[in-house]
Amino acid sequence: MNRYWALACVAFVLLGAGAAKRALADAVTYGADEQRRILAHGPWPPPAARDPGNAQAGRRDAIALGELLFFDVRLSGDGRFACATCHQPALAFADGQRRSLGRGGVLDRNAPTLWNAVHERWYGWDGAADSLWSQAIRPIVDAREMSTTPAQVRALVAGDGELACRYRRTFGSAAATGADDEIVLVNAAKAIGAFVATLVSGRTPFDDFRDALARGDQAAMARYPASAQRGLKLFVGRGRCALCHTGPMFSHGEFGDTGLGFFVRPGVVDPGRHGGIAALRASRYNLLGRFSDSPADSADAIKTRHVEPQHRNFGEFKVPSLRNVALTAPYMHDGQLATLDDVLAHYSELNLERLHADGERILEPLHSSAGEKADLLAFLRTLSDPRAGAWQTESSLPKCEAAG
């Protein structure tokens, strides 16, 4: 019996040694520059951020009011659409549609996720808004989306006991008859902005690997799948993906041409960032306007004061964050790429003749093998918080005490 156990132990040790050798063979090594690029994608979560120009940011009363309004279909002119229609919690605050649906029918663009939106610099695929609250106004009043007037927003808030109570607690005045319709609209949008700013997703398998790399914890690093490690090495290296998808948000927050067509329909093009800058500068609700709670010369407003359209901006769209990317198909500004496999195929065989770069070329076709695409896909899947598609309110929003 002792001899049997001795042989068994020897076999176990040999098998263990073989597994260790295989693990070493599969291990991915990173050069100093690659490590620097990887570490730049964290830490997560980042320092807290607040909706610029919004004095209600972070206030519990405003957040509660904003959550109610976000899910209320009565906020649309016909009572059929809420913010949550296109930004559904179960779909990572997107809607899973190629192009979203509004009162005017199919819209021109795909609904982006709202996770971590407070950490973005510009809002909308074209950056036509410079804050969460100003972005909330646009779909509310847009004739193709919710098609609501400021007067209708005021009437809704004033006519519902719970909303009226929470509005009064948040803003210190009633949204009743005689109140300025536009002020109530802006205040409602600021409450929605305060709510959306709370949607910060949790840590991911990548974050655990990144932090393990930072402290040199080889055992913890080894728990990160080898395929994801190979994909990460390609992402920060030969693939050059990290040139645009960088930082803790996996996005530099600006805009670019992706080599995809931007026709909305035959004969109609989406101007992208070029049109977004024009819309931003013309907006009554930007950070330079009277509705902003930040002074026009504040640090918040510098980006808006100095942004200028350039010819190259035509057809550029925002570089989206890759956090939770596996949960938010379809992809690109108009959802024309159905899966992450399609995205990887697009960048693998990129048509350079469709890019305009004014002499500055960032994108190059990767010509990736099937194995490289599989590794990149494995890596991208590690960027999702498993709970990002299962959001639930942190509270049951008890009835406002002064309601009724």
Side-chain angles (χ1 to χ4, degrees):
M1 182 66 69
N2 290 338
R3 183 179 179 184
Y4 169 80
W5 282 110
L7 290 172
C9 289
V10 169
F12 180 81
V13 169
L14 290 175
L15 288 172
K21 289 181 180 179
R22 287 192 298 273
L24 287 173
D26 289 339
V28 178
T29 59
Y30 302 97
D33 191 50
E34 290 173 323
Q35 292 187 42
R36 177 185 59 79
R37 294 175 188 173
I38 293 169
L39 295 178
H41 290 88
W44 192 267
R50 291 198 170 186
D51 187 22
N54 186 353
Q56 303 305 318
R59 293 192 57 209
R60 293 181 63 87
D61 286 338
I63 292 168
L65 172 61
E67 182 176 338
L68 289 176
L69 290 169
F70 185 89
F71 291 97
D72 198 329
V73 294
R74 297 174 299 170
L75 196 58
S76 71
D78 62 357
R80 294 193 299 126
F81 295 92
C83 304
T85 303
C86 293
H87 300 287
Q88 301 174 31
L91 296 175
F93 285 93
D95 64 4
Q97 302 297 313
R98 175 174 174 176
R99 295 191 294 172
S100 295
L101 183 67
R103 286 189 67 186
V106 177
L107 303 175
D108 296 342
R109 296 175 182 163
N110 173 260
T113 177
L114 296 183
W115 278 117
N116 310 309
V118 70
H119 291 290
E120 295 183 0
R121 179 173 172 82
W122 307 102
Y123 297 95
W125 281 104
D126 59 3
D130 52 10
S131 67
L132 284 171
W133 63 269
S134 62
Q135 170 63 17
I137 291 174
R138 188 197 55 75
I140 292 174
V141 300
D142 190 297
R144 295 186 60 196
E145 297 196 37
M146 298 170 77
S147 190
T148 313
T149 66
Q152 288 173 313
V153 174
R154 185 203 59 76
L156 168 64
V157 175
D160 181 282
E162 182 72 11
L163 293 176
C165 171
R166 292 191 178 280
Y167 184 94
R168 187 163 56 250
R169 285 179 54 175
T170 301
F171 298 102
S173 61
T177 303
D180 185 288
D181 293 342
E182 192 171 28
I183 291 293
V184 175
L185 168 67
V186 170
N187 286 345
K190 288 180 177 178
I192 292 172
F195 165 65
V196 172
T198 68
L199 302 177
V200 177
S201 59
R203 288 174 59 81
T204 70
F206 165 80
D207 296 313
D208 292 339
F209 173 80
R210 181 260 176 207
D211 292 356
L213 176 66
R215 62 179 184 267
D217 187 340
Q218 296 292 328
M221 290 170 60
R223 290 193 286 270
Y224 194 54
S227 58
Q229 292 195 44
R230 293 192 299 268
L232 172 58
K233 187 178 181 73
L234 187 58
F235 185 90
V236 300
R238 186 172 73 84
R240 307 178 74 202
C241 314
L243 291 177
C244 295
H245 293 286
T246 188
M249 283 281 284
F250 283 85
S251 171
H252 60 26
E254 292 297 330
F255 303 79
D257 176 17
T258 60
L260 287 168
F262 42 91
F263 282 92
V264 176
R265 60 190 68 87
V268 179
V269 297
D270 187 330
R273 182 56 170 156
H274 196 276
I277 293 174
L280 172 69
R281 295 177 69 86
S283 174
R284 293 168 50 80
Y285 308 113
N286 67 34
L287 291 175
L288 303 176
R290 70 182 184 92
F291 294 105
S292 173
D293 296 325
S294 298
D297 60 353
S298 69
D300 285 340
I302 287 176
K303 62 182 181 182
T304 306
R305 181 176 300 280
H306 293 289
V307 68
E308 294 285 347
Q310 302 177 46
H311 178 72
R312 64 171 297 165
N313 297 138
F314 200 89
E316 291 185 338
F317 297 91
K318 187 165 66 175
V319 175
S321 169
L322 295 184
R323 285 194 173 267
N324 304 308
V325 67
L327 305 177
T328 57
Y331 302 100
M332 316 311 278
H333 72 280
D334 57 358
Q336 63 182 282
L337 299 180
T339 67
L340 283 175
D341 291 298
D342 293 334
V343 175
L344 295 176
H346 167 68
Y347 286 114
S348 177
E349 306 301 329
L350 191 68
N351 183 352
L352 293 177
E353 293 184 357
R354 301 193 67 170
L355 290 172
H356 59 273
D358 294 348
E360 178 187 1
R361 177 174 293 173
I362 295 176
L363 295 177
E364 295 281 355
L366 187 53
H367 300 308
S368 49
S369 68
E372 287 174 326
K373 290 176 185 175
D375 290 340
L376 278 169
L377 183 59
F379 163 65
L380 292 173
R381 285 175 172 162
T382 70
L383 302 182
S384 294
D385 170 13
R387 299 168 296 177
W391 177 90
Q392 291 184 349
T393 180
E394 294 183 0
S395 69
S396 58
L397 291 180
K399 189 174 178 66
C400 187
E401 293 181 1

